[in-house]
Amino acid sequence: EVHVVGFPGQFSSICVTAGIVSRICVQSYNHPSPSPLLTIQIDAAINPGNSGGPAFDEDGQLIGVAFLKHVGHDVDNTGYLIPVPVVENFLDRALESPDGYQGMPCVPFRFQSLENAAIRKSLQMVPQKHSGVYIKEVAKLGALAGKLKQGDVVLQIDGQRIGNDMTVHFRDTESVDFRHRITGAKKGSTTELRVLRNGKEITISAVLPGNTHHLLCPRYHELDCVPTFLIVGGLVFVPLTGGLYEAVQGGDDGMGPASDVYLPGVLADKLWAFKQKEGQQVIVLL
């Protein structure tokens, strides 16, 4: 059971809605986020006025913070909580860092599933023994550069076996996206990977920082970038950032879908690319 507490609507009295935990999943908390995090899905009503408020279990213990509801013709009673472990990790990183909050760790490599038996055979994976994810690209400026290589298969993360469907075990009979083992890592902790390379198993490890330095496009204004521009003869040039993408696609500054301003898919794809060298940027003519 779960009870969500808050002040939705135009009323000053407290409102309590009840439901159950539908599932535990992993998802991005906003669209340009490179760090998908653990999330609790519930069927209790969440409305404007609940966001940032607590949700309790039947014993009155805090289990998470309300932050999102799914609205659409094809969904019903779908709300989301930020779980306590994510909140605690955020507070540790935000309050104890001399440089301020830098973000949660994000996955410094591109990958794909290995549900295809022919691909597993080509990678010299032993049936019943090996499962994992295939590495397509490693961030050149990431913490695993020079350690993890394209063509590797990551079999385990922190001792947990990764399935060919890219999941790891989570509580009893559940499973979730393996990336939560990276994005949920405690500050300063070492992430250990068991890797299959050319048919041989090796172990590599690294401390994954809570920043997006290795990504081609910064994500958040005032965190890893600030608004900058260059005007030349009436033409406005700006770096492509997550904030710009949100403004253009979401219409936060009046340039939304109703206008002629949009980001072509080839530019949107750049949001997920890795830097190839220090100082590299994507500049767009706005």
Side-chain angles (χ1 to χ4, degrees), residues 81-263:
L81 308 176
I82 301 174
V84 168
V86 175
V87 175
E88 291 178 335
N89 197 2
F90 164 75
L91 292 175
D92 288 343
R93 291 176 176 275
L95 301 179
E96 298 182 8
S97 173
D99 300 323
Y101 179 63
Q102 298 296 308
M104 298 294 195
C106 55
V107 182
F109 53 82
R110 303 277 177 252
F111 57 91
Q112 73 175 53
S113 68
L114 286 172
E115 295 175 290
N116 185 293
I119 296 178
R120 296 199 298 272
K121 183 177 180 181
S122 73
L123 294 170
Q124 304 179 55
M125 297 174 66
V126 178
Q128 310 305 322
K129 179 182 179 183
H130 293 148
S131 63
V133 294
Y134 175 77
I135 302 303
K136 298 166 61 178
E137 181 186 5
V138 180
K140 288 188 175 181
L141 301 182
L144 292 173
K147 297 181 178 182
L148 193 64
K149 297 182 179 181
Q150 188 274 334
D152 285 347
V153 176
V154 180
L155 305 172
Q156 298 179 10
I157 180 167
D158 294 332
Q160 280 199 310
R161 182 173 179 173
I162 302 175
N164 292 320
D165 60 351
M166 305 186 298
T167 63
V168 294
H169 176 261
F170 184 79
R171 302 191 323 171
D172 301 327
T173 59
E174 297 176 74
S175 61
V176 295
D177 190 310
F178 82 96
R179 289 176 293 177
H180 97 89
R181 298 292 307 183
I182 293 176
T183 60
K186 298 293 185 181
K187 180 183 175 184
S189 64
T190 298
T191 297
E192 184 176 279
L193 304 177
R194 188 68 174 170
V195 174
L196 182 68
R197 179 179 297 166
N198 299 324
K200 297 181 179 180
E201 293 188 27
I202 61 173
T203 300
I204 62 176
S205 60
V207 176
L208 303 181
N211 61 50
T212 57
H213 173 71
H214 61 279
L215 295 174
L216 179 57
C217 298
R219 283 304 193 272
Y220 310 108
H221 289 318
E222 307 301 336
L223 182 61
D224 56 1
C225 65
V226 294
T228 58
F229 60 90
L230 174 67
I231 300 179
V232 181
L235 304 178
V236 182
F237 297 92
V238 297
L240 178 60
T241 66
L244 175 64
Y245 181 82
E246 285 281 277
V248 172
Q249 299 301 105
D252 293 342
D253 59 355
M255 300 189 302
S259 76
D260 294 328
V261 180
Y262 70 100
L263 281 182

